[in-house]
Amino acid sequence: MSANLINLLIEATLQTLYMVAISGALGTLFGLPIGVYLAVSQRGELLSSPWVNKVLGLIVNAARSVPFIILVVAIIPFTRMIAGTSIGTTAAIVPLTIAAVPFIARLVENAIREVDSGLIEAARAMGATPFQIIRKVLVPEALPGITLGLTLAVVSLIGYSAMVGAVGGEGLGDLGIRYGYQRFMPEVMLAVVVILIVLVQLVQSLGEGLARLVDKRAPRNRGR
Amino acid sequence: MADVQTSGAAITFDKLGKSFDKKGSGKVMALEDISLDVAPGTITGIIGRSGAGKSTLLRMVNGLEQPTAGTVTVAGHDVGRAGAAELRRIRRDVGMIFQHFNLLSSRTVYGNVALPLEIAGVPGAEIKRRVDDLIGRVGLEQFSNRYPAELSGGQKQRVGIARALATQPKVLLSDEATSALDPETTQTVLKLLADINRDLGLTILLITHEMAVVRDIASHVAVIDGGRIVEAGQTYDVFAAPQHPTTRSFLAGITGITLPSFIAGKLQAERPQGESQEVIRITFAGTHATDPMLAKLTSELGIPVNILAGAIEEIGPHPFGNLLVSVDATRGAEARAYLQRHELLTEVLGYVG
Ligand SMILES: Nc1ncnc2c1ncn2[C@@H]1O[C@H](COP(=O)(O)OP(=O)(O)OP(=O)(O)O)[C@@H](O)[C@H]1O
Ligand SMILES: [Mg+2]
């Protein structure tokens, strides 16, 4: 493989990492509070408001049912408005983020709902406000679950990021299609697939390691 | 403000009622017409069968449940009518401990005890001082940096107790706090609660389904059945002269009060024809508990007495004895009259042929 191709691969890897990192971070920024709200606004919960919950749930479901490639094309005007252009790697972050937000919201919601209701009761009995309960009880207690959820989301984003070539987003997926498929260079395709596999493995191991680190539920042998 | 003047009681239940909407239609009456004064500094046991309404009653004291009738007043505050902010203030004066401890798995012992103080907005240095002090009080100095998953059940409940005391409450609510613990650990936790009650003058309201727990630490007891208080009073009096069948069935679990099965099986309510024995429960109270009354019965009246079961225990500072005996049925009335003259309580349980 020529030095030129290796440079292309490195560049594409960095572009993928850039898109995934930014859209993952933005997706968490918006998805986390939405997910928390989805969990606590259910009937009988901390901030019970079943109607808002239902509407928000519908929007989240709708966003999640649009196939990603259609989402990318459908929101081109919105992308242009936000990113100033609808073409390129930075522009691709917009649809990636929009796909990540509802996904992360649902994962966070599930993690929060796993928290033992006895803990909420204990915090209420201490005189905690709903916001204090969220900040000091629900989120810290759900952190192992949230960490695993975010790992899953980042892995999915790596997959999605391969499709943004359609709007001129670059990265590994785009490189694989342009060189590996259109110019018929199977070694590029193979290299791209190997890098993606390694990336996903790294993210998965890192996420699981982090989740274990923040999970204090199981007693562990601390080197004793 | 929803302030009400009360008769100096720490907690007052006044015709309190609670109904829940049933799924589908209709209502479940969980509690009805509950009236009870809990004096400051006492330990009151609330005992009843599963579903009797004990937890619901306790949860209304700190507003986790809203009454649907009547009022509950804590230190002059009408809890049911308190607004959100006032309710949070009341809750800082009312600590609570739970059957399953409800500790945060993500926080260490220290962090768990600090939580109510963080919530109350106590400054950091003050939190450290108070938490260290509390952890010492419950004897967990070496465990300060451990996570709950690394503790035994008894240690977890100690953390729960330290946490409940963090905001220096006047009232402590305990919902089956020892039900998940083995008998030995139960004793140490009950002892801790009794010490706290004595040292801090805390009023404790304690739910249990075991009379032994009531006997060991409660000065007062209320028996709940089907959502109503069927019997209430000083533990000693209730033990000495239980009035309601539910109370009696709870007391039957305590040593010396159950009939041996070979007699229980033959027991009949009516006195049979011919020769028979009358089975009598004698309750020894106060100083008489140590008097040799049965010996006197035999020597003074010439009535032989068979002892079937019995035990002498202590309720608070008082000795308390319970004996099951049988005497010749023809002389039963005479024997009971004699015992009653000497201030012993008697009760005919039945006859055996
Ligand atoms: N949130 C609720 N919704 C509907 N019914 C309820 C609710 N909470 C309690 N109940 C009902 O109220 C009654 C009393 O329940 P409660 O939990 O107070 O009983 P308990 O005496 O504490 O029982 P246990 O010893 O099993 O804990 C029960 O019939 C129960 O089904
Ligand atoms: Mg209960």
Side-chain angles (χ1 to χ4, degrees):
Chain A
M1 205 181 284
S2 72
N4 191 23
L5 271 180
I6 290 176
N7 275 341
L8 274 178
L9 279 169
I10 291 174
E11 198 185 341
T13 305
L14 291 177
Q15 284 160 342
T16 293
L17 288 177
Y18 166 70
M19 288 188 289
V20 170
I22 305 286
S23 59
L26 289 174
T28 306
L29 192 69
F30 295 108
L32 187 75
I34 295 175
V36 170
Y37 188 73
L38 278 173
V40 299
S41 61
Q42 298 203 340
R43 185 183 302 281
E45 297 298 331
L46 210 54
L47 295 173
S48 172
S49 63
W51 274 106
V52 184
N53 181 277
K54 190 147 270 167
V55 172
L56 193 61
L58 278 175
I59 295 172
V60 165
N61 285 347
R64 288 196 57 202
S65 31
V66 180
F68 181 66
I69 193 71
I70 294 180
L71 177 83
V72 169
V73 180
I75 63 160
I76 281 178
F78 179 71
T79 303
R80 189 177 295 128
M81 203 174 85
I82 299 283
T85 166
S86 61
I87 302 284
T89 306
T90 301
I93 288 173
V94 177
L96 281 174
T97 302
I98 288 180
V101 169
F103 189 44
I104 290 175
R106 281 293 185 211
L107 292 167
V108 169
E109 178 194 1
N110 285 340
I112 298 272
R113 285 169 69 175
E114 293 283 305
V115 175
D116 180 2
S117 61
L119 299 184
I120 301 174
E121 173 137 328
R124 285 177 66 208
M126 287 171 206
T129 61
F131 184 69
Q132 285 175 322
I133 295 177
I134 290 169
R135 202 162 55 89
K136 293 194 176 280
V137 178
L138 290 180
V139 173
E141 286 291 308
L143 207 54
I146 292 176
T147 309
L148 287 177
L150 290 180
T151 307
L152 186 61
V154 170
V155 168
S156 303
L157 280 175
I158 293 175
Y160 284 169
S161 74
M163 288 186 238
V164 295
V167 287
E170 292 165 297
L172 287 167
D174 178 55
L175 187 76
I177 297 283
R178 279 192 291 123
Y179 285 71
Y181 178 66
Q182 288 161 356
R183 299 190 193 172
F184 200 69
M185 296 170 75
E187 70 277 16
V188 177
M189 188 65 105
L190 186 69
V192 162
V193 170
V194 168
I195 293 174
L196 283 174
I197 289 174
V198 170
L199 270 186
V200 168
Q201 292 292 346
L202 280 178
V203 168
Q204 189 67 32
S205 312
L206 194 73
E208 280 172 15
L210 269 177
R212 257 198 308 279
L213 203 66
V214 295
D215 190 352
K216 312 292 184 189
R217 285 172 297 193
R220 78 200 69 229
N221 191 346
R222 294 179 154 175
R224 261 177 276 139
Chain B
M1 290 293 276
D3 281 23
V4 188
Q5 262 337 91
T6 44
S7 50
I11 308 167
T12 305
F13 301 97
D14 187 23
K15 301 192 191 65
L16 189 70
K18 175 72 183 177
S19 63
F20 289 104
D21 292 330
K22 238 199 313 230
K23 279 230 167 71
S25 64
K27 288 185 185 299
V28 193
M29 282 306 270
L31 288 172
E32 256 176 292
D33 200 26
I34 301 284
S35 292
L36 185 72
D37 274 344
V38 178
T42 56
I43 301 183
T44 300
I46 297 173
I47 187 163
R49 298 196 181 92
S50 185
K54 307 180 296 290
S55 296
T56 306
L57 181 65
L58 203 71
R59 292 160 53 82
M60 286 199 280
V61 176
N62 61 358
L64 291 175
E65 253 5 304
Q66 293 290 310
T68 48
T71 55
V72 49
T73 315
V74 176
H77 297 274
D78 181 340
V79 180
R81 264 173 276 282
E86 190 188 0
L87 192 55
R88 284 196 289 273
R89 260 198 318 279
I90 295 172
R91 283 172 176 168
R92 279 169 207 163
D93 282 338
V94 182
M96 191 169 193
I97 55 177
F98 306 86
Q99 179 173 1
H100 298 294
F101 322 121
N102 293 352
L103 301 179
L104 269 63
S105 67
S106 57
R107 285 182 173 232
T108 60
V109 168
Y110 182 96
N112 269 286
V113 179
L115 180 62
L117 297 171
E118 291 173 21
I119 284 170
V122 175
E126 171 77 1
I127 291 183
K128 168 119 183 60
R129 199 180 59 73
R130 292 250 284 265
V131 173
D132 286 342
D133 181 55
L134 284 160
I135 290 178
R137 172 174 284 280
V138 299
L140 290 176
E141 294 92 337
Q142 286 102 30
F143 298 88
S144 195
N145 292 320
R146 296 258 194 119
Y147 287 93
E150 302 165 314
L151 301 178
S152 72
Q155 290 166 339
K156 283 184 204 169
Q157 197 55 287
R158 286 169 180 276
V159 179
I161 291 170
R163 180 178 73 175
L165 297 178
T167 51
Q168 298 171 327
K170 300 176 188 73
V171 172
L172 181 67
L173 307 176
S174 160
D175 193 347
E176 311 240 16
T178 58
S179 298
L181 305 176
D182 64 57
E184 227 171 284
T185 314
T186 294
Q187 285 309 315
T188 61
V189 169
L190 290 180
K191 166 121 186 2
L192 178 62
L193 288 177
D195 290 348
I196 287 163
N197 165 257
R198 195 192 51 230
D199 298 349
L200 307 178
L202 211 66
T203 309
I204 301 181
L205 208 55
L206 171 141
I207 289 182
T208 178
H209 54 253
E210 286 172 279
M211 264 304 185
V213 170
V214 172
R215 174 196 63 203
D216 291 345
I217 69 164
S219 58
H220 294 70
V221 60
V223 184
I224 299 197
D225 196 29
R228 291 171 176 275
I229 293 185
V230 294
E231 190 157 359
Q234 302 221 358
T235 306
Y236 189 73
D237 297 338
V238 172
F239 270 59
Q243 302 299 313
H244 194 270
T246 304
T247 317
R248 288 180 193 189
S249 80
F250 274 116
L251 283 168
I254 295 208
T255 345
I257 309 189
T258 20
L259 269 178
S261 56
F262 72 94
I263 303 237
K266 287 190 287 183
L267 203 66
Q268 10 184 287
E270 294 297 319
R271 186 173 156 191
Q273 295 293 324
E275 217 163 86
S276 69
Q277 291 270 314
E278 184 176 295
V279 178
I280 305 171
R281 181 209 303 275
I282 306 170
T283 304
F284 289 65
T287 51
H288 288 294
T290 47
D291 278 8
M293 293 310 297
L294 294 182
K296 283 195 191 161
L297 189 65
T298 309
S299 64
E300 289 178 22
L301 301 186
I303 304 176
V305 178
N306 302 311
I307 296 179
L308 305 173
I312 294 182
E313 341 200 21
E314 280 186 351
I315 300 175
H318 311 285
F320 172 80
N322 235 303
L323 270 183
L324 298 175
V325 301
S326 72
V327 297
D328 183 349
T330 56
R331 310 202 59 184
E334 200 185 332
R336 278 182 280 122
Y338 177 85
L339 293 170
Q340 276 156 21
R341 269 204 308 284
H342 291 84
E343 289 168 28
L344 299 183
L345 293 161
T346 61
E347 180 194 350
V348 179
L349 298 181
Y351 301 87
V352 283

